[in-house]
Amino acid sequence: LPTLGEMDVRKVTPNDLKKVIKSIEPIIKTDGDGEKFTCYRYTQRTALKKDMNYIFEYAKGTFTEMIYSPADGVKMKKYTKDAEKVKTHMVTTTNAEGIQAIMWKISSYIVTSTRMSWQMKTATLALALTHLRPNELAGLRWAEIDFKNDLIEIPGRYAPHTDKPEKRMKMGNDHIIPMSRQLKGLLKYAKKCSKEDRIVSRYVFPSPGKNAPKDGSVFDEDGREYIDEGLTTKGIEDALKRMGICNK
């Protein structure tokens, strides 16, 4: 960084670092539909602070006279909340043409993409058919699927004594989704794909790319892979952005 590059690392102060972080200002971007939106660049600011932590921790271990890291004096809360907060409802598409356009974007991308896993393909379609939030869909479990009664029953939260306790729904309330025939077919397809890939998982959309024991995978005596991890929220959101559905 030009501002810090020539400085003695032992003389850098928290104030110097704050100035650099503040210099990363919001910019105007254009989405896939040509609409402009403000990008506050909080991610870049946070990533820069993380790099600063690494650099000055390393310096502390190198120079005995450095008794503290100047990065410790920089609290990021004020630098990731500088935009004026206005409570608004999310933009919603309610007309048939708009919904059709979104579904075309999803399906066209799925058909043409050569890099998407079956997990991500089925998840993005299921997102539109369930109206769940990305994090709620990523954590969808087979125990919540009732094919007999055509329902998805998601508890608001799992009890603390369970093997992996977690809050499932944002408000903590139980949530029931009637299963359309399209959604039912999609979930059965996901089950078939898991079976063909010899994957055993509690999750409907298990994390792809798990193919070695060192990354947390466990194999049973029949060689089937047990994956105790679902898709990530970021993965689903990034897929939607690549399809041109972002900030909507």
Side-chain angles (χ1 to χ4, degrees):
L1 295 168
T3 313
L4 302 175
E6 299 300 321
M7 292 181 69
D8 185 326
V9 72
R10 292 163 292 188
K11 295 180 181 179
V12 176
T13 66
N15 225 33
D16 296 324
L17 302 186
K18 289 176 184 177
K19 287 177 183 177
V20 176
I21 291 170
K22 283 174 72 175
S23 71
I24 301 176
E25 298 180 343
I27 57 174
I28 303 297
K29 284 189 172 185
T30 305
D31 66 17
D33 291 331
E35 294 183 22
K36 293 184 177 181
F37 66 96
T38 303
C39 175
Y40 292 100
R41 305 176 79 190
Y42 295 148
T43 304
Q44 288 94 327
R45 287 185 170 191
T46 305
L48 178 59
K49 173 59 163 54
K50 193 175 179 181
D51 288 341
M52 289 174 173
N53 290 342
Y54 288 140
I55 290 166
F56 290 103
E57 280 303 313
Y58 181 77
K60 268 175 64 180
T62 305
F63 301 108
T64 54
E65 62 267 40
M66 280 189 74
I67 57 173
Y68 85 103
S69 164
D72 292 343
V74 181
K75 304 305 176 188
M76 287 302 293
K77 192 172 182 181
K78 65 184 285 187
Y79 299 109
T80 53
K81 290 191 176 179
D82 56 5
E84 184 181 347
K85 273 201 166 183
V86 181
K87 189 171 182 180
T88 57
H89 291 289
M90 294 297 287
V91 177
T92 308
T93 301
T94 55
N95 60 71
E97 291 78 14
I99 294 169
Q100 187 182 51
I102 289 173
M103 293 308 292
W104 269 115
K105 280 187 177 184
I106 295 173
S107 55
S108 298
Y109 190 88
I110 286 174
V111 169
T112 57
S113 175
T114 57
R115 297 177 59 188
M116 282 185 88
S117 63
W118 66 260
Q119 291 97 319
M120 193 60 74
K121 288 180 179 181
T122 50
T124 48
L125 284 171
L127 197 64
L129 294 171
T130 59
H131 284 219
L132 287 169
R133 296 178 178 88
N135 67 308
E136 294 163 356
L137 184 80
L140 194 64
R141 305 178 183 189
W142 288 116
E144 298 164 351
I145 311 295
D146 183 354
F147 284 119
K148 187 176 179 181
N149 296 306
D150 293 342
L151 293 174
I152 296 176
E153 300 180 81
I154 304 176
R157 63 180 74 244
Y158 281 102
H161 67 271
T162 55
D163 52 352
K164 197 173 182 182
E166 62 179 288
K167 184 178 177 181
R168 280 291 281 122
M169 300 302 297
K170 183 178 179 181
M171 303 305 293
N173 299 323
D174 295 351
H175 188 59
I176 298 175
I177 303 167
M179 202 186 296
S180 65
R181 61 182 175 79
Q182 292 91 341
L183 179 57
K184 187 174 183 178
L186 191 69
L187 294 175
K188 285 191 172 181
Y189 174 73
K191 186 178 274 289
K192 177 187 170 188
C193 289
S194 280
K195 188 175 180 181
E196 288 176 352
D197 286 355
R198 300 175 70 81
I199 293 172
V200 180
S201 178
R202 78 175 81 189
Y203 295 104
V204 177
F205 310 109
S207 177
K210 298 280 183 181
N211 50 21
K214 66 180 180 181
D215 59 22
S217 304
V218 178
F219 297 87
D220 66 13
E221 57 186 15
D222 296 322
R224 293 181 305 178
E225 187 179 13
Y226 180 75
I227 299 176
D228 194 27
E229 185 180 329
L231 290 176
T232 63
T233 302
K234 186 179 185 303
I236 295 174
E237 290 175 345
D238 286 349
L240 292 173
K241 286 178 183 177
R242 288 195 296 273
M243 294 173 192
I245 305 168
C246 56
N247 301 298
K248 301 294 184 185

